[in-house]
Amino acid sequence: MASTPSEPKPYSTDPALFIYTSLTAGSSHIVTATSRLETILRANRVPFKAIDIAVDEKARMLWGRRAGKDASGRQRKLPGLVQEGFVLGDLVEIEEWNEYGELKQHVKIYYDEFTIPSISQAPPPQPPKPAAEPIPLMAPKAPEPLKTKSTTTTTPAAGATITLPIRSIAEEAAQKAKQVQLQALRDRVHSAKSQRDEKEKEKENAAPAPPPAGLQSPTSTGWKAPAAATIGSDLQSPTSTSWKPTDVDPPVKELHGSPIAAATKEEIEAVEKAEAIKEEEEESSEEEEKSSKEKAAEVKK
């Protein structure tokens, strides 16, 4: 009967190797560096655990208190390796150890139920190598005849289990970020559609516009003026070419408080006739003066 996994230990006493990172911060640099650090540990077959300090307050406090600087005085940056409560190094140091094959000299190999890979996938312990024995001298053997190659097919052993590839931490974080962006896009589209529907409903429920004021009757010459007509607009009759101007000044009927009487048509004609007579008399007098001058000039000749 399989035993249930034990509870996780505190970070200061847990002998497992931890990757401290912050994938939920949204920085592409941290996601790429975390994937690179995970690849290095998998290639060297070093089991590890992963912690996102953005959601773990104790891990965030431990990193801020003990991250410190490396041997060259450079400030360590996420992601980094932590074991038994001590910061071993960040990606720059781990890549240097990996380049010179010194990674396993700085970390401890430890498996449990929560490590990647877990203790059930740990390789079997290697037996100690026996002491070297002297090789006895033997007589040379006769050459064996050549054998023809035969095609053989290998079948997996009975009871062998096929392990599926484990998704990396960076891939899981990228998948979560895509889901969040997709949900935000859906919310924006839904809100825009609801606003458009509300505007269309408001247009449908709006009251119809009042008819234009100051229109002429199509069957007569009468005009129906509005209650408050606006000055400065001319309207044309729909059945004729006549216009009804509204910007013409009304006739003057008073001057300094005294009424002004309008002249009749007869009075206007009389005035015009009087002026015409005066003009003809002046023209006739001018012609007479001209003719007398011409006669005087002929007499002198």
Side-chain angles (χ1 to χ4, degrees), residues 46-301:
V46 176
F48 63 92
K49 298 179 182 179
I51 294 180
D52 192 339
I53 66 172
V55 296
D56 194 320
E57 184 177 359
K58 293 183 179 179
R60 182 168 61 254
M61 293 174 60
L62 190 149
W63 177 264
R65 186 171 63 254
R66 298 187 178 181
K69 302 179 180 180
D70 60 0
S72 63
R74 181 186 57 82
Q75 184 69 35
R76 293 190 177 100
K77 298 180 181 180
L78 290 173
L81 294 183
V82 179
Q83 194 168 30
E84 295 180 346
F86 294 96
V87 178
L88 303 181
D90 60 357
L91 180 61
V92 176
E93 297 172 90
I94 303 306
E95 285 186 336
E96 184 178 355
W97 298 343
N98 180 58
E99 182 178 357
Y100 294 101
E102 301 174 354
L103 178 60
K104 291 187 177 181
Q105 299 177 11
H106 296 271
V107 300
K108 296 179 182 179
I109 307 300
Y110 175 79
Y111 289 92
D112 62 11
E113 296 84 355
F114 303 100
T115 57
I116 304 173
S118 62
I119 192 171
S120 61
Q121 298 177 353
Q126 297 180 356
K129 295 182 179 180
E133 297 181 356
I135 302 174
L137 298 176
M138 299 178 65
K141 295 182 179 179
E144 296 180 356
L146 296 175
K147 297 181 179 180
T148 58
K149 294 182 179 180
S150 60
T151 58
T152 58
T153 57
T154 59
T155 58
T161 58
I162 300 174
T163 59
L164 298 175
I166 303 173
R167 295 182 63 182
S168 64
I169 304 170
E171 291 177 354
E172 293 179 357
Q175 185 66 23
K176 291 180 180 180
K178 288 181 180 179
Q179 292 177 358
V180 172
Q181 292 178 357
L182 182 60
Q183 185 63 31
L185 181 60
R186 288 176 178 173
D187 294 340
R188 287 199 298 270
V189 172
H190 181 70
S191 62
K193 184 177 180 181
S194 61
Q195 292 178 359
R196 187 168 60 253
D197 294 342
E198 290 178 358
K199 289 182 179 179
E200 291 179 356
K201 289 181 179 179
E202 290 178 358
K203 290 180 180 179
E204 292 177 357
N205 298 332
L215 295 179
Q216 186 182 17
S217 173
T219 59
S220 65
T221 58
W223 287 80
K224 182 180 179 182
T230 58
I231 300 175
S233 60
D234 297 338
L235 300 177
Q236 186 182 16
S237 173
T239 58
S240 65
T241 58
S242 61
W243 287 79
K244 182 182 179 183
T246 58
D247 57 348
V248 178
D249 296 333
V252 180
K253 296 182 179 181
E254 291 184 2
L255 180 63
H256 301 292
S258 300
I260 299 175
T264 62
K265 187 176 181 181
E266 291 77 6
E267 293 175 350
I268 294 173
E269 291 178 355
V271 172
E272 290 178 353
K273 186 176 181 181
E275 291 178 354
I277 292 170
K278 290 180 180 179
E279 290 177 357
E280 289 177 357
E281 289 178 353
E282 290 177 357
E283 290 177 358
S284 61
S285 61
E286 289 178 358
E287 290 179 356
E288 289 176 357
E289 289 178 0
K290 186 177 181 181
S291 61
S292 62
K293 287 181 182 180
E294 289 177 355
K295 289 179 180 180
E298 290 178 356
V299 169
K300 287 180 181 181
K301 291 180 180 180

